[in-house]
Amino acid sequence: MKKTALIFVSIFVLLSPLLFLLLSYQSTAFQEKYYSAPEQKEVLYFLQENTEMKVNFTASEVSHLQDVQKVMQFVDYLFYFIFAVAIILGIFLYRKSLLSKALFYSGIFSLSLFALLFFLYFFGFSFLFTIFHQVFFPQGNWQFPVDSLLINTFPFEFFTKLSGIIFGKAAALAVIALFFSVYLKNKETLKNRR
């Protein structure tokens, strides 16, 4: 394998777990069915469309939701960028008959990372939750009293459930990548026999 092709395969493999997670997040986080309470739906509309909220959140809770909105916009842009890069790399790798290999390694690498994520999810979700908030909200405005309206609107169980769905979908995408790599490899083998 030429050095350029190896670099492209490596980039494709390294981007795959993030792509799978972001794709899973995009297809899950904004589905109304996960937001049962009217207050939750109102916050969802605020985060998506910047609609006015009628829920009586405190100023610090509204400030945090505005920060969440900014992070979500950044994640959207990141997703579109990574998706575009993956498509371009995928086309290049397909033309060089390396897509099956790249998808295989992407699936293996992603499943390995997701196994670690699942371990942390099941045995230390509060640790994951804290790290996530420390990274994306370093100003520290994400901690509220247990009896705050925001915490009661979005209890810890809400995030546990939604995260589990996102991680599960991402792992399923990695498995699909593995199956697709086998399909492409078999197709290449049949083509070479003719």
Side-chain angles (χ1 to χ4, degrees):
M1 191 182 317
K2 291 183 180 177
K3 190 174 181 180
T4 306
L6 181 62
I7 290 170
F8 285 173
V9 168
S10 300
I11 293 170
F12 188 87
V13 169
L14 291 173
L15 284 180
S16 293
L18 188 55
L19 176 64
F20 296 151
L21 276 172
L22 290 174
L23 186 58
S24 177
Y25 160 80
Q26 291 286 339
S27 69
T28 305
F30 302 111
Q31 288 190 19
E32 255 187 70
K33 66 182 179 182
Y34 299 119
Y35 299 82
S36 54
E39 297 85 1
Q40 289 178 336
K41 289 182 181 178
E42 196 170 315
V43 170
L44 174 66
Y45 301 144
F46 167 76
L47 294 173
Q48 279 185 301
E49 302 160 15
N50 204 24
T51 58
E52 188 178 331
M53 287 187 296
K54 295 173 186 164
V55 183
N56 290 323
F57 290 123
T58 64
S60 60
E61 290 170 329
V62 171
S63 173
H64 176 63
L65 289 172
Q66 289 168 338
D67 289 343
V68 169
Q69 192 178 50
K70 290 173 189 168
V71 168
M72 291 170 89
Q73 287 172 346
F74 168 76
V75 169
D76 285 347
Y77 294 135
L78 180 65
F79 168 71
Y80 297 130
F81 174 75
I82 289 175
F83 187 75
V85 169
I87 293 291
I88 292 166
L89 287 172
I91 291 169
F92 171 82
L93 294 170
Y94 181 77
R95 288 183 177 163
K96 297 288 184 184
S97 298
L98 293 170
L99 185 59
S100 64
K101 189 175 284 194
L103 284 170
F104 177 78
Y105 289 122
S106 294
I108 296 296
F109 179 62
S110 298
L111 285 174
S112 301
L113 284 178
F114 297 155
L116 175 63
L117 264 180
F118 276 120
F119 179 81
L120 290 172
Y121 172 79
F122 285 112
F123 297 106
F125 184 75
S126 58
F127 171 76
L128 269 182
F129 189 79
T130 301
I131 295 296
F132 172 84
H133 280 81
Q134 287 174 341
V135 168
F136 288 101
F137 307 104
Q139 65 276 25
N141 72 340
W142 58 274
Q143 295 174 318
F144 298 98
V146 178
D147 61 345
S148 72
L149 182 56
L150 189 58
I151 298 295
N152 286 312
T153 303
F154 293 98
F156 193 69
E157 296 76 26
F158 171 85
F159 294 104
T160 306
K161 179 182 175 185
L162 203 61
S163 298
I165 293 167
I166 290 170
F167 294 155
K169 282 184 176 181
L173 288 170
V175 170
I176 290 169
L178 279 173
F179 280 119
F180 194 57
S181 76
V182 171
Y183 167 77
L184 286 176
K185 185 67 177 169
N186 289 341
K187 189 176 172 185
E188 289 169 17
T189 304
L190 286 172
K191 184 179 176 184
N192 292 336
R193 285 182 185 169
R194 290 178 185 166

